[in-house]
Amino acid sequence: MKAVEETDVIIIGGGIAGAGAAFEISRSAKVVLLERESHCGYHTTGRSAASFTENYGNGVIRRIVLASRAFMIQPPTGFSDYPLLSKRGMITVARADQLELLAQDLEAAQALVPSIVAMTPAEAIARVPVLRADYLAGAYIEPHSMDIDVNGLHQGYLRGARARGARAVTNAGVKDIGRQGGQWRVETQAGTFLAPTLVNAAGAWGDEIAVMAGVRAIGLQPKRRTAFNIPAPAGVDITDWPLVNDVGAEFYFKPDAGQLFVSPADATPSAPMDAYAEDMDVAIGAERLEKATTIEVQRVSRSWAGLRTFVADGSPVVGPDDAVPDFVWLVGQGGYGIKTSPALSRVCASLIGGGGLPDDVARQGVALTDLTPQRLRSAQQVSAS
Ligand SMILES: Cc1cc2nc3c(=O)[nH]c(=O)nc-3n(C[C@H](O)[C@H](O)[C@H](O)COP(=O)(O)OP(=O)(O)OC[C@H]3O[C@@H](n4cnc5c(N)ncnc54)[C@H](O)[C@@H]3O)c2cc1C
């Protein structure tokens, strides 16, 4: 018979959300993190574009990213052997028929990130020479957008949590959640775990975990996003190209370890699953890239897909469930879960410890009610009535 292990906090999910939460919560409590796969980060966390832009996602997301920057630039001593951020820059481009959208987008972008400035098509082409002059009608640049060392960040969280006494258990798929003596009793392939507090960081599976625990689902919708690598154009040094993003969210591309990373920016609703790239989505991405640039896609070296999981308002859900307060949500990070993880992890730990929003997060203009699940419950009640 497998032993029963008691702890203060059980976290379900070993992606960036669960790892970040383990890092912060283990400062003051004993943590066990349970991951179904044989290694943490197998699902969405290991499939991202690794971009730290302050100009993507709704207003709440952007403010949380601003509150995450300091940690990314200067993580705690010993957290990582290498810098977590490296220079990239991001150019948003528009065709003639998208110029109005570009102007609106630029105005909204500058309100939060004043370093963003308009650039001429010629200036954009000087930075990324494959952009077609007959395609490009306008552009702007976010000069301080960065690349994230996702593995460095993820492993830093896990290593730091372990150093504070946390335990990450892999091959520990949660099969049943019940109660025992006022605590949560979590049954997994790797044994049984008891704790007074349960954190749901299960990504696309977040609602399934809630239902297993007898908690009402919050309406998580996983959406598939496809990405693929192609060889860099022959004889061209792409190392310093910025990320190029279409203002209408039809494609983006950036250098990726000597190759180009390309995405059709798709968002196809999906069930929670081990997502994979559909040939059609890769073909759409290649076609859009070829329209905007002089690149001819001859070979795709690798393709993959991941699930970006959202609730209705596009903001993350962090905090105790309104009806079951020892069940804590940490889900709905959508396409922004890596870059928001420093601040969201601290918010989660603070709420579990009985505190409110960390001061620096509040100073960015985020309200607790922007994040807690109550906002979704009110909407659920309206739609049910
Ligand atoms: C193509 C693409 C590009 C992206 N680009 C960016 C970007 O540039 N910047 C950015 O910040 N974000 C980006 N994202 C989004 C980001 O990757 C996600 O928001 C983030 O990884 C979500 O992390 P997570 O820990 O919530 O989910 P996951 O990494 O999916 O982790 C959830 C974990 O829970 C585990 N789990 C589920 N059910 C159980 C169970 N029953 N028992 C035990 N464990 C369970 C799963 O196995 C999984 O490991 C991108 C995503 C994609 C797909």
Side-chain angles (χ1 to χ4, degrees):
M1 212 175 80
K2 281 177 183 152
V4 176
E5 183 172 337
E6 283 196 52
T7 188
D8 298 330
V9 178
I10 294 171
I11 299 173
I12 302 177
I16 202 80
F23 179 72
E24 294 296 345
I25 298 168
S26 60
R27 288 179 192 276
S28 54
K30 206 171 148 202
V31 171
V32 169
L33 179 151
L34 302 173
E35 168 55 51
R36 183 182 46 208
E37 306 294 344
S38 60
H39 74 271
C40 293
Y42 172 77
H43 287 285
T44 310
T45 295
R47 308 178 189 201
S48 87
S51 165
F52 185 92
T53 162
E54 293 166 343
N55 184 40
Y56 189 48
N58 70 21
V60 174
I61 295 287
R62 291 174 191 218
R63 290 182 160 84
I64 295 167
V65 175
L66 292 171
S68 296
R69 183 179 261 273
F71 183 100
M72 291 286 204
I73 291 177
Q74 194 163 25
T77 311
F79 184 86
S80 169
D81 294 338
Y82 304 98
L84 295 174
L85 296 183
S86 52
K87 278 192 179 158
R88 177 57 58 209
M90 174 163 144
I91 294 182
T92 297
V93 297
R95 302 180 301 262
D97 62 300
Q98 296 172 311
L99 281 178
E100 206 178 312
L101 179 60
L102 187 79
Q104 290 163 5
D105 211 64
L106 175 58
E107 199 183 327
Q110 286 173 326
L112 272 182
V113 188
S115 56
I116 292 177
V117 286
M119 69 197 311
T120 62
E123 286 167 333
I125 292 168
R127 293 291 304 272
V128 184
V130 292
L131 285 167
R132 283 182 183 277
D134 57 358
Y135 177 93
L136 209 61
Y140 69 76
I141 183 159
E142 179 188 358
H144 303 306
S145 163
M146 309 287 258
D147 274 353
I148 308 170
D149 176 354
V150 178
N151 190 51
L153 178 64
H154 191 211
Q155 292 306 321
Y157 284 144
L158 291 171
R159 208 173 28 242
R162 278 193 205 102
R164 293 176 182 148
R167 210 160 86 76
V169 189
T170 51
N171 295 310
V174 173
K175 296 181 296 188
D176 190 47
I177 304 174
R179 294 281 192 177
Q180 182 176 322
Q183 303 204 85
W184 290 106
R185 182 185 170 95
V186 178
E187 306 284 353
T188 78
Q189 296 150 281
T192 302
F193 299 85
L194 296 179
T197 304
L198 187 60
V199 176
N200 177 10
W205 293 266
D207 270 346
E208 286 186 3
I209 293 295
V211 170
M212 225 188 266
V215 172
R216 212 168 129 207
I218 49 164
L220 287 168
Q221 177 60 68
K223 294 184 180 177
R224 188 179 68 238
R225 173 147 297 182
T226 308
F228 55 96
N229 285 136
I230 56 170
V236 180
D237 181 6
I238 64 167
T239 320
D240 292 333
W241 283 7
L243 185 155
V244 175
N245 175 46
D246 170 63
V247 70
E250 292 179 16
F251 66 88
Y252 60 98
F253 63 92
K254 64 172 240 183
D256 179 18
Q259 304 201 68
L260 271 186
F261 168 112
V262 186
S263 173
D266 47 334
T268 311
S270 165
M273 62 183 289
D274 188 357
Y276 56 89
E278 299 275 355
D279 290 348
M280 180 58 91
D281 292 323
V282 173
I284 290 170
E287 190 190 335
R288 291 175 182 171
L289 181 76
E290 287 181 340
K291 266 197 189 137
T293 69
T294 53
I295 294 172
E296 283 175 35
V297 178
Q298 315 240 337
R299 185 165 66 83
V300 170
S301 15
R302 186 168 85 92
S303 63
W304 67 97
L307 298 178
R308 302 154 79 244
T309 300
F310 297 85
V311 291
D313 63 9
S315 296
V317 184
V318 188
D321 186 77
D322 39 339
V324 187
D326 51 4
F327 183 93
V328 179
W329 294 89
L330 181 56
V331 295
Q333 295 88 340
Y336 329 102
I338 313 291
K339 62 185 180 174
T340 54
S341 64
L344 292 183
S345 304
R346 285 189 292 119
V347 171
C348 184
S350 173
L351 297 180
I352 287 176
L357 275 189
D359 287 347
D360 66 306
V361 179
R363 270 200 305 276
Q364 291 296 346
V366 180
L368 194 52
T369 48
D370 291 331
L371 299 176
T372 49
Q374 280 83 346
R375 70 187 200 274
L376 301 161
R377 300 304 187 197
S378 326
Q380 280 175 330
Q381 266 148 21
V382 171
S383 65
S385 60

